[in-house]
Amino acid sequence: MDELDSAIVRELQRDARQSNRDIARKVGVAPSTCLERTRLLRERGVIRGYHADINPIALNRSVQALVSVQVRPLSRAVIDAFKNFAAGLPEVQSVFVMAGSDDFVIHVSAQDNEHLHAFLVDRLSQRKEIVGFRTSIIFQAIAKHDPAPLP
């Protein structure tokens, strides 16, 4: 990525709904150049998509937690099956496959503590491959949606 690509990405991170013409003006290139660069960024996988940032409380998801999970046996089949199972649950926001003492960290959200507890007991604890899990309630979260290229 060169400086122009980085400038386009920064503008899209700032506001992905702005027009190509506005981005081109802000980064100092012709709209056709900006459009072509943006297309190439998508083709190269730099831009993976455009998303709306939704308040979870507005969706009746006021409780969030990180659940650290250990599974056994550690095999590709078990890891892939659990990853796909977890990603398919409506309470699950993200699934991270980890190295270290935990095999997965799952970001979940629920209506309240009662529903979170039901999710843990009725969904996770029923899985035979899970040998243990720990839950940490999230009080506050600050998410960065604008990573900059590192040198």
Side-chain angles (χ1 to χ4, degrees):
M1 282 191 29
D2 62 15
E3 287 184 34
L4 178 55
D5 288 340
S6 294
I8 292 169
V9 167
R10 273 193 307 279
E11 284 302 319
L12 287 169
Q13 289 171 321
R14 194 169 297 127
D15 180 4
R17 294 184 63 191
Q18 61 186 313
S19 71
N20 179 67
R21 185 175 305 283
D22 287 342
I23 295 170
R25 182 180 41 77
K26 290 175 183 175
V27 301
V29 297
S32 59
T33 301
C34 186
L35 189 62
E36 178 65 12
R37 288 291 193 114
T38 303
R39 184 186 63 76
L40 290 171
L41 287 165
R42 280 193 308 271
E43 285 179 5
R44 292 187 354 236
V46 174
I47 298 172
R48 299 188 301 185
Y50 304 92
H51 310 280
D53 185 15
I54 307 297
N55 181 352
I57 294 171
L59 301 178
N60 197 23
R61 295 172 175 261
S62 59
V63 174
Q64 295 187 60
L66 296 176
V67 183
S68 302
V69 180
Q70 301 85 38
V71 297
R72 295 294 178 270
L74 281 181
S75 69
R76 184 174 300 279
V78 170
I79 290 169
D80 287 345
F82 183 78
K83 176 179 63 177
N84 292 332
F85 161 76
L89 297 172
E91 298 87 353
V92 173
Q93 303 301 296
S94 302
V95 178
F96 302 95
V97 180
M98 308 295 290
S101 59
D102 298 317
D103 302 311
F104 295 91
V105 173
I106 304 169
H107 177 200
V108 301
S109 60
Q111 297 94 315
D112 51 35
N113 284 334
E114 201 172 304
H115 283 90
L116 175 61
H117 184 253
F119 168 80
L120 296 170
V121 172
D122 298 336
R123 299 263 178 103
L124 285 191
S125 69
Q126 302 303 311
R127 298 288 297 197
K128 303 289 187 224
E129 70 271 30
I130 294 178
V131 295
F133 62 85
R134 290 183 328 277
T135 304
S136 300
I137 300 291
I138 299 170
F139 290 131
Q140 295 179 340
I142 299 172
K144 286 183 67 175
H145 299 287
D146 59 348
L150 297 174

